[in-house]
Amino acid sequence: MQHSKLSIVLVLLAFAAPQVASAGEVVEFALKESELSSPEKREVLLKRMTMFAAKSCDDGSVFATKDAIAACTKDLTTQFVKKVDHDALSKLAKTRASEPYRSASR
């Protein structure tokens, strides 16, 4: 019985690892001021931020679930946008976050 309890705890820790491991981790994202100069450039910047965040979150653990990576990506992208502190970029990010998910199937 003791062995099975230990296995369950190890599995739970493995799935929790992405959130725990990255909690104190510093992730730096570089950008140029010119990337904020137009709506098109801000759109590209936000996509780049999101892709960078997704890669950073996915590198956290081989046991990370898709949901954990998605939550981490959203959180990290939000932190980047807040640090940049640019009104138009913040509005764009807020708009993108509130867009409804669309799916279709036959």
Side-chain angles (χ1 to χ4, degrees), residues 19-33:
Q19 292 89 8
V20 174
S22 63
E25 184 179 339
V26 175
V27 180
E28 294 182 3
F29 178 83
L31 68 130
K32 296 177 184 173
E33 195 170 332

Side-chain angles (χ1 to χ4, degrees), residues 29-87:
F29 178 83
L31 68 130
K32 296 177 184 173
E33 195 170 332
S34 63
E35 292 180 284
L36 298 166
S37 64
S38 72
E40 295 81 16
K41 288 182 178 184
R42 287 188 293 272
E43 182 77 41
V44 171
L45 174 62
L46 186 57
K47 286 179 184 177
R48 189 167 69 86
M49 278 182 177
T50 304
M51 290 174 57
F52 181 84
K55 184 179 180 330
S56 297
C57 292
D58 196 22
D59 288 346
S61 171
V62 295
F63 299 107
T65 64
K66 288 182 182 182
D67 289 341
I69 293 170
C72 175
T73 299
K74 182 178 178 181
D75 180 55
L76 194 54
T77 302
T78 300
Q79 289 181 52
F80 289 153
V81 170
K82 283 182 182 178
K83 283 287 187 183
V84 172
D85 193 26
H86 187 272
D87 287 339

